[in-house]
Amino acid sequence: MNSQILQYLKHIHFQGPLTEPTIKLLGQLQTSHLNSIPYENLDVVLKQGISFSIPDIFQKIIIHKRGGNCFELNILFSWLLRELGYSVTNRYAQFWRNFEADTPIEDVPMHQLLLVNYAGQSYISDVGVGALAPCKPVPLIAGHQHREGNELYKIEQDNVNGWMLYEQTKHNWRLLYSFLDDANDAKFAPRLSKQKNKIAMIRTPRGRHTMLNNEFRIYEGQSLTTYTTQNEKEWLQALHRFFHISLE
C-alpha cells in the first residue's frame, strides 16, 4: 500500500482492517471521510482558484487539511476507492435541495456523486454534501428506502429526472438530487454554482457543524448551539475549532 493511501486513511481516522472491497468497508470509509473532512467553498468565494487534478486535491485536503466542494471531495474519494479495488463511476447530478421543481435546470446547482458497483449492484456513495445526506452507501433500486438513525431517504426513478434521491422532512418527501442513466461520467469541467456566502459543513459522531459566513451552528443530538463571530480573528479561530481548517 503506497504512502498516500496511508496518509489519507490516517487523515480520516480510519481504524478498521482493510479487507477486500465490500459494501461494509465502503460504508466505514464513507462515514470516516464525512466525519473528518468538511464540505467548504472558501476557495470559490475568496476567488482562490480550484484544481480538479488528484495531486492538487490531495495536497489541499490531505496535506493542508482543508475541505472542498462536492467535486473535489468526491474526485478524491473516488481515487481512494479505485486504489482499494472498487469499481467507481463519477456522475454529475442536479442538486435540488432548497430549489422548486419548476426551477430552470441551468439554475439548479451541479453536484457530483459516485456510483460504486459491487456484485452487479450499483450503490450511491457521496461524501460531497456535508449537510444531512446518507453516510452509508445507498442501493440504486427504485422504491428502496434507506434509514440512518432518524434520517430516512428513498430512491425513485422516472423518464424525466432519471434517478432521484429523496429525503424525508417533517411534512413530505423532498428531492435532494437527481441524475440520468446516460449522464456523463464527469470527465469535463463542472459548472460551479455562483456562491457568495462562505459555507462549511461537517458531520460529527453526535451531529454536525455548519457555518454560514460568521454564524456557526453546532448540532449535538437534539441540542443546537449558535455562535456568531465578531471579527476575522474570531472567525478564523472558530473555523479551526469546528472544522479543523486553517487558512493561514
Side-chain angles (χ1 to χ4, degrees), residues 80-140:
L80 175 67
L81 295 181
R82 291 187 182 100
E83 290 292 312
L84 295 177
Y86 286 93
S87 174
V88 185
T89 301
N90 300 63
R91 278 288 175 85
Y92 282 151
Q94 303 295 330
F95 195 80
W96 289 96
R97 180 183 274 159
N98 300 325
F99 285 84
E100 299 297 330
D102 59 355
T103 303
I105 198 70
E106 62 271 15
D107 293 333
V108 180
M110 289 184 73
H111 180 63
Q112 184 173 137
L113 56 87
L114 306 179
L115 291 183
V116 178
N117 185 279
Y118 178 76
Q121 174 63 53
S122 291
Y123 294 80
I124 295 175
S125 182
D126 188 352
V127 296
V129 176
L132 293 176
C135 292
K136 301 288 187 181
V138 181
L140 196 62

Side-chain angles (χ1 to χ4, degrees), residues 8-131:
Y8 199 139
L9 296 175
K10 180 180 179 180
H11 184 61
I12 64 174
H13 309 290
F14 180 75
Q15 302 292 332
L18 280 177
T19 62
E20 63 181 34
T22 64
I23 292 304
K24 180 180 179 180
L25 175 60
L26 175 60
Q28 293 170 340
L29 291 166
Q30 183 175 331
T31 300
S32 295
H33 195 290
L34 288 165
N35 286 340
S36 303
I37 300 177
Y39 171 95
E40 50 109 330
N41 69 344
L42 301 179
D43 283 348
V44 175
V45 175
L46 299 175
K47 302 185 185 304
Q48 298 296 319
I50 287 180
S51 168
F52 295 116
S53 74
I54 296 296
D56 289 343
I57 302 174
F58 188 92
Q59 188 75 14
K60 174 183 176 179
I61 293 177
I62 305 302
I63 304 302
H64 294 302
K65 297 178 172 55
R66 288 282 305 277
N69 60 33
C70 62
F71 303 103
E72 296 171 289
L73 296 173
N74 277 317
I75 288 172
L76 188 63
F77 191 52
S78 69
W79 171 82
L80 175 67
L81 295 181
R82 291 187 182 100
E83 290 292 312
L84 295 177
Y86 286 93
S87 174
V88 185
T89 301
N90 300 63
R91 278 288 175 85
Y92 282 151
Q94 303 295 330
F95 195 80
W96 289 96
R97 180 183 274 159
N98 300 325
F99 285 84
E100 299 297 330
D102 59 355
T103 303
I105 198 70
E106 62 271 15
D107 293 333
V108 180
M110 289 184 73
H111 180 63
Q112 184 173 137
L113 56 87
L114 306 179
L115 291 183
V116 178
N117 185 279
Y118 178 76
Q121 174 63 53
S122 291
Y123 294 80
I124 295 175
S125 182
D126 188 352
V127 296
V129 176

Side-chain angles (χ1 to χ4, degrees), residues 149-188:
N150 294 325
E151 302 168 30
L152 183 62
Y153 304 90
K154 71 173 180 177
I155 297 288
E156 295 292 354
Q157 185 183 30
D158 66 24
N159 293 328
V160 177
N161 295 305
W163 292 102
M164 296 167 286
L165 177 66
Y166 284 86
E167 56 188 345
Q168 188 179 55
T169 68
K170 290 182 179 180
H171 306 292
N172 55 20
W173 287 99
R174 179 173 64 181
L175 181 59
L176 181 57
Y177 51 65
S178 65
F179 62 96
L180 299 172
D181 258 334
D182 60 352
N184 63 79
D185 57 0
K187 287 184 178 177
F188 62 82

